[in-house]
């Protein structure tokens, strides 16, 4: 069994999957020709999240990948991909329709799959609004 995936090592976090790009409108309601990504409502998940980057167990992504935390799960069917956004340090406030206005704080920069686990490299980002 993968020691990183033990229940006592898991921590809750939220993620949202990329859905599509949607054209934006200006204040008068006209399409601008600019697009913004649209994500699924945030979903709660538990996995092992590293405290900081640079430890030997995080070298699976190589030395050229810029990331701040590594997430490891034994759920090999986990839908998280390199287009997924994450709330690792701050939980989102979920609206009644399932959406959130809480800015995400991490993005997935790399996915490393093995037979029994999946590792994700997460990079901290500063997002003023979603």
């Amino acid at each position: 069994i993968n020691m990183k995936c033990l229940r006592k090592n898991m921590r809750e976090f939220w993620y949202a999957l990329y859905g599509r790009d949607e054209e934006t409108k200006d204040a008068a309601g006209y399409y601008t020709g600019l697009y913004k990504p649209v994500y699924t409502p945030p979903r709660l998940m538990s996995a092992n999240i590293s405290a900081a980057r640079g430890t030997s167990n995080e070298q699976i992504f190589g030395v050229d990948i810029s990331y701040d935390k590594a997430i490891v799960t034994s759920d090999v069917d986990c839908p998280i991909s390199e287009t997924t956004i994450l709330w690792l340090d701050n939980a989102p406030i979920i609206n009644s329709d399932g959406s959130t206005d809480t800015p995400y704080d991490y993005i997935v920069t790399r996915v490393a799959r093995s037979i029994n686990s999946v590792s994700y490299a997460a990079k901290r980002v500063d997002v003023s609004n979603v």
Side-chain angles (χ1 to χ4, degrees):
I1 194 166
N2 189 337
M3 295 301 285
K4 294 179 191 173
C5 296
L6 291 176
R7 186 171 305 227
K8 71 178 184 175
N9 294 333
M10 291 190 179
R11 195 175 120 198
E12 287 186 341
F13 68 97
W14 294 80
Y15 70 94
L17 303 173
Y18 170 80
R20 66 185 189 290
D21 284 331
E22 182 177 90
E23 191 171 5
T24 59
K25 294 182 180 181
D26 63 15
Y30 295 103
Y31 288 105
T32 63
L34 301 173
Y35 290 82
K36 69 174 186 172
V38 176
Y39 294 91
T40 64
R43 301 174 187 176
L44 185 62
M45 181 176 170
S46 293
N48 177 284
I49 303 172
S50 69
R53 72 182 273 247
T55 62
S56 61
N57 63 347
E58 295 174 356
Q59 296 303 320
I60 58 174
F61 301 110
V63 293
D64 294 333
I65 301 303
S66 176
Y67 62 97
D68 297 307
K69 293 187 179 188
I71 302 168
V72 179
T73 181
S74 59
D75 179 4
V76 295
D77 295 322
C78 180
I80 292 175
S81 70
E82 292 177 2
T83 59
T84 302
I85 56 176
L86 308 165
W87 292 263
L88 298 181
D89 294 335
N90 300 307
I93 298 170
I94 308 298
N95 300 324
S96 60
D97 65 353
S99 67
T100 186
D101 297 320
T102 307
Y104 55 91
D105 52 4
Y106 286 82
I107 58 171
V108 176
T109 58
R110 187 64 59 102
V111 178
R113 295 188 181 276
S114 68
I115 295 172
N116 297 317
S117 66
V118 184
S119 298
Y120 301 98
K123 179 163 183 59
R124 183 155 180 73
V125 292
D126 183 20
V127 179
S128 59
N129 58 39
V130 176

